[in-house]
Amino acid sequence: MYLENISLHNFRNYSDLETEFIPGVNVLLGANAQGKTNLLESIYVLALTRSHRTSNDRDLISWGADNARLATRVHKRMSSVPLELELSSKGKRAKVNHLEQSKLSQYIGQLNVILFAPEDLSLVKGSPAIRRRFIDMEFGQMSSKYLYNSAQYRTILKQRNQYLKQLKFKANKDKVFLGVLSDQLAAYGAEIIFQRRLFLKKLEKWAQQLHTQISLGKEHLTFEYVSQVSQKQDATVEQLYDELQKAFASHEERELQQGTTLVGPQRDDVRFLVNDKNVQTFGSQGQQRTTALSVKLAEIDLMKEETGEYPVLLLDDVLSELDDDRQTHLLKTIQNKVQTFLTTTSLSGIARQLIDEPRIFTIKSGTLHKEE
């Protein structure tokens, strides 16, 4: 899978942009604040209909404009598919092959991307919320079922939290409806936990191989899904459903006092263990970076395994954060494998040696110039 081209209208600092890309490495070169990350962001938005930098779509639309339009043609093994996305105050409109999609979930998955930015190093040492978001964003691209279950869970969780607040402040006294919401939440929550564990087991397999290579065989990486319900990694959906129901019942009094849901996948976490030690707590900065790099690169092979297509890789100023050994491993892993978009203020000597015939674009003030 690769992007043949891109067209942007009133997106961030690009009033109008049209350009073509190569299936290999596309380097976006320029000083800071010129639009390199904006272009990378536009590809991410085309894939997931949302930004990784802001939750407010208004931020994506050029100052003074009413809407933004993004378009691309995605080359796949069996076809070439045009995608279009329009952002405005009225919401989003998405088209696949010129046909408008009634739901964004029908659009997501047409273009799969993996973004690796300096802040992704916090995947290991950051908060559980960062790791949950990582799981939800990446697995949601690979599984429409997971995307649906997650959306349903979030909707019901919001309703249940609102109802708990009503009960807390005596605006409502009927606990029967709370039981209905708890049952629905347990059903979708069980599916999410089951699928997360399945996803992480597959991701672990690929990450272990990469981590062993980068650490020259000195370290062994494993994942551990941390949940308030069954710690059995082979628990069935039915078992998880029963345990979530029991957890909601046992936490009910505390939830009524606090006015919020205290158990469920929205509070789960993932631990990364290097040689059986939690790398977040006991790992060096080098081990944490190697772990983050291994996990992100493992997604490439997992997406290929799950979808039959390699994803598009977006590297936002990552080279400057990695030492020579990790740079070398990263660039060798992606070479001749995935289409890559790499933003940088300058191509280091090691990068120039390892990247085979890149297409280099110089970006200045939202204007793109292709180097010949």
Side-chain angles (χ1 to χ4, degrees), residues 118-349:
E119 58 265 27
D120 284 311
L121 295 169
S122 65
L123 178 65
V124 174
K125 58 185 179 181
S127 69
I130 293 172
R131 288 181 285 279
R132 286 193 297 268
R133 186 177 185 275
F134 160 72
I135 291 172
D136 289 343
M137 296 299 287
E138 308 308 337
F139 199 28
Q141 291 186 75
M142 292 182 261
S143 168
S144 57
K145 181 181 179 183
Y146 185 86
L147 196 64
Y148 174 78
N149 286 331
S150 296
Q152 293 298 109
Y153 187 88
R154 283 194 300 272
T155 300
I156 297 165
L157 178 64
K158 186 177 179 181
Q159 291 175 342
R160 190 173 187 273
N161 285 339
Q162 288 173 343
Y163 201 70
L164 281 167
K165 283 184 173 64
Q166 290 177 20
L167 291 170
K168 176 185 177 180
F169 295 110
K170 314 300 183 193
N172 207 314
K173 296 180 181 180
D174 181 13
K175 289 187 181 179
V176 174
F177 185 55
L178 180 64
V180 172
L181 291 172
S182 298
D183 184 69
Q184 292 176 340
L185 208 59
Y188 286 113
E191 291 280 1
I192 289 170
I193 294 172
F194 181 82
Q195 289 178 297
R196 280 181 179 177
R197 283 178 172 167
L198 197 65
F199 162 67
L200 285 166
K201 200 68 193 168
K202 293 178 179 180
L203 186 66
E204 181 188 59
K205 177 189 73 173
W206 293 107
Q208 280 177 344
Q209 297 172 20
L210 289 159
H211 196 97
T212 299
Q213 291 169 16
I214 299 172
S215 66
L216 302 176
K218 296 174 184 175
E219 296 175 358
H220 181 64
L221 175 66
T222 53
F223 298 171
E224 184 180 300
Y225 186 76
V226 184
S227 177
Q228 295 159 299
V229 296
S230 177
Q231 293 304 313
K232 288 192 228 172
Q233 297 302 307
D234 59 350
T236 64
V237 173
E238 291 75 18
Q239 289 171 330
L240 291 167
Y241 168 70
D242 290 340
E243 293 211 21
L244 278 169
Q245 280 192 315
K246 290 174 186 174
F248 287 137
S250 65
H251 285 76
E252 186 174 292
E253 286 308 312
R254 283 182 58 211
E255 288 184 335
L256 288 168
Q257 290 170 7
Q258 297 184 31
T260 191
T261 303
L262 296 175
V263 293
Q266 80 281 3
R267 291 177 176 263
D268 290 352
D269 195 6
V270 180
R271 286 197 194 110
F272 300 110
L273 309 175
V274 171
N275 296 341
D276 297 323
K277 291 183 179 179
N278 187 346
V279 72
Q280 181 184 33
T281 308
F282 301 104
S284 65
Q285 187 178 44
Q287 286 176 319
Q288 290 174 345
R289 292 194 169 202
T290 297
T291 299
L293 183 59
S294 300
V295 171
K296 294 299 291 188
L297 291 180
E299 288 183 78
I300 295 171
D301 291 301
L302 180 60
M303 279 198 181
K304 173 66 164 61
E305 184 178 73
E306 292 294 305
T307 68
E309 298 268 6
Y310 279 116
V312 173
L313 184 62
L314 310 176
L315 301 175
D316 191 11
D317 200 27
V318 170
L319 295 184
S320 63
E321 298 293 319
L322 300 174
D323 60 26
D324 287 355
D325 286 344
R326 292 183 180 87
Q327 262 196 50
T328 300
H329 198 89
L330 167 63
L331 296 173
K332 280 186 175 178
T333 300
I334 65 175
Q335 191 68 270
N336 302 318
K337 192 173 188 180
V338 294
Q339 184 184 39
T340 302
F341 292 87
L342 186 158
T343 71
T344 184
T345 53
S346 66
L347 269 177
S348 67

